[in-house]
Amino acid sequence: MKNERLAKFLIAKHVEAPCDYKELDLGELWRVHDKLHHTFTRLWSEVAKGEITLESTSSPRCSFLDVKVEIARRVLSSCVFCENRCRVNRLDGERGVCRLDYKTVVSSYFHHLGEEAPLVPSGTIFYGGCTFRCVFCQNHDISQEYPYPGVVVDAKGLAKIQKELRGTGARNINHVGGDPTPNTHTILESLKYLEVNVPQIWNSNQYQSAETMKLLVDVIDLWLPDFKYWSDECAERLSGIRNYREVVTRNLKISIEHGDMIIRHLVMPNHIECCSIPILEWISKNLPRDKVVVNIMDQYRPEYLVARYPERYKEISRRVTADEMAIVYREAERLGLLYGVV
């Protein structure tokens, strides 16, 4: 955050790739990608330890980042960026759960002062579209309604936004929404045109596909995932998502191997026993405590469909109580988790 380390995407640009990568089929391209991932990991480690400087390495004509961009572009023709796995051809204008074709919509961008303290001021970019259908969404205007408010940006335009945010004092670039996942292709390509050293944050619902995780782990510096539910029944009923626990826990384990993490858990009324407590227990047993902070959030309020139809969603039609929050705090303390309160 303080320019003391190189952002990973800059290192990915220095990993040489074969320049015939566009001629390969997708399976061959993934094999090249996976081989380059190992090369990247070695270079990243050497740079982090001070054993080598990036300036001492060559800047190849074709890079690991180029390969990632090409794979992401091809994924659009049968989209599996998230685990909804809609397989629609977004290049031809088809839309799946996220309601986006290939174009990326930026609803707003600014220095966010309300994020976790170590991240502030955070250069936050809000994207249109989301892979969830949360009935209580506070950003439903940009995540679930179509057409989305905002402007269409291409990769160069997105790089320009990031450069502007960094140049005016942002400590990082915070990709959020909605959810950034449907915009993976534009975000990756924007890094080709971004030359300033700025950490990249992936602020998401963590419902990315395994393929998308492979594309992201070599360019994302800090993960800022939501962990909303433990109960799959709750996830399907309130966010329209299947296999939530399996997907999110898998992605959390992958993420923590490739960067630091702040997990956000939004405490919801009447979901302490079914969701909050087992989530904290899982984190304590499965993730290294020296690399994870849990942000226990009390900002839930009945919005969107819950506000319109409170009888339909009666158990979450109120704010969380102080007693409910106290139960969650005590559990985090009992488990020895490093947690914050927002």
Side-chain angles (χ1 to χ4, degrees):
M1 305 294 174
K2 299 179 180 179
N3 242 17
E4 295 173 355
R5 290 192 296 179
L6 278 175
K8 291 165 75 174
F9 76 89
L10 292 174
I11 300 173
K13 290 184 181 184
H14 280 254
V15 175
E16 186 173 8
C19 284
D20 64 348
Y21 65 91
K22 290 187 177 181
E23 301 172 13
L24 304 177
D25 65 36
L26 187 56
E28 293 170 326
L29 198 55
W30 271 118
R31 285 189 285 275
V32 169
H33 176 280
D34 293 348
K35 182 178 179 180
L36 294 176
H37 165 73
H38 295 295
T39 304
F40 166 85
T41 301
R42 288 195 299 271
L43 180 58
W44 178 38
S45 176
E46 290 169 353
V47 170
K49 293 176 182 176
E51 298 173 354
I52 191 173
T53 63
L54 207 57
E55 292 75 15
S56 66
T57 66
S58 61
S59 183
R61 186 162 64 92
C62 303
S63 75
F64 186 25
L65 184 57
D66 292 319
V67 171
K68 288 180 178 291
V69 170
E70 178 65 15
I71 291 174
R73 186 190 66 80
R74 296 194 197 183
V75 168
L76 284 172
S77 65
S78 180
C79 191
V80 290
F81 279 146
C82 78
E83 284 294 356
N84 286 303
R85 307 188 80 83
C86 300
R87 295 196 178 277
V88 296
N89 188 342
R90 293 172 59 192
L91 291 172
D92 279 353
E94 296 178 4
R95 295 180 172 91
V97 172
C98 69
R99 302 182 186 178
L100 289 171
D101 57 15
Y102 68 91
K103 295 186 289 292
T104 288
V105 176
V106 169
S107 300
S108 62
Y109 65 93
F110 53 89
H111 288 192
H112 203 319
L113 303 180
E115 300 289 63
E116 288 81 355
L119 309 181
V120 173
S122 184
T124 305
I125 303 173
F126 284 85
Y127 299 94
C130 188
T131 57
F132 280 16
R133 288 285 178 269
C134 298
V135 298
F136 51 85
C137 184
Q138 297 176 7
N139 292 328
H140 59 88
D141 57 331
I142 68 170
S143 67
Q144 299 190 44
E145 296 179 2
Y146 191 82
Y148 302 115
V151 296
V152 174
V153 298
D154 61 11
K156 290 183 178 179
L158 186 56
K160 185 177 179 180
I161 289 172
Q162 295 179 67
K163 183 178 180 181
E164 176 187 336
L165 287 168
R166 182 61 156 176
T168 52
R171 301 183 73 184
N172 49 69
I173 299 299
N174 187 343
H175 300 283
V176 67
D179 195 81
T181 304
N183 304 285
T184 297
H185 57 297
T186 308
I187 293 169
L188 286 174
E189 188 179 358
S190 75
L191 301 178
K192 289 179 57 175
Y193 306 107
L194 185 63
E195 299 300 333
V196 296
N197 183 32
V198 56
Q200 301 287 313
I201 296 178
W202 197 256
N203 183 348
S204 81
N205 58 33
Q206 205 69 350
Y207 200 65
Q208 299 88 234
S209 67
E211 296 94 325
T212 300
M213 289 300 296
K214 288 171 69 173
L215 294 174
L216 293 176
V217 294
D218 307 303
V219 298
I220 297 301
D221 300 284
L222 187 140
W223 304 83
L224 195 55
D226 291 335
F227 197 169
K228 283 186 175 70
Y229 310 105
W230 183 254
S231 163
D232 280 344
E233 187 276 331
C234 295
E236 186 165 0
R237 181 166 54 87
L238 299 178
S239 292
I241 289 298
R242 296 181 179 180
N243 301 320
Y244 177 87
R245 185 198 310 172
E246 177 185 349
V247 172
V248 171
T249 54
R250 177 199 70 197
N251 288 344
L252 290 173
K253 288 180 177 179
I254 294 171
S255 300
I256 201 61
E257 293 178 359
H258 299 278
D260 293 329
M261 184 187 297
I262 300 173
I263 297 175
R264 290 174 166 176
H265 174 59
L266 180 66
V267 180
M268 297 172 63
N270 294 305
H271 284 259
I272 309 303
E273 297 297 329
C274 61
C275 293
S276 293
I277 289 177
I279 281 173
L280 296 179
E281 290 175 341
W282 183 89
I283 292 171
S284 72
K285 294 175 182 176
N286 291 276
L287 300 179
R289 299 183 188 186
D290 61 334
K291 294 185 69 177
V292 176
V293 176
V294 183
N295 183 354
I296 300 174
M297 305 171 72
D298 68 353
Q299 294 108 313
Y300 174 82
R301 60 182 185 268
E303 291 272 2
Y304 191 35
L305 297 181
V306 178
R308 295 178 194 174
Y309 311 106
E311 289 302 315
R312 186 184 302 175
Y313 305 103
K314 194 168 184 178
E315 92 274 14
I316 58 169
S317 63
R318 61 169 174 83
R319 299 291 295 261
V320 66
T321 67
D323 287 343
E324 287 172 320
M325 292 303 302
I327 292 171
V328 181
Y329 297 150
R330 285 197 298 269
E331 182 66 9
E333 291 171 0
R334 184 186 72 81
L335 294 168
L337 292 173
L338 180 61
Y339 74 95
V341 179
V342 174

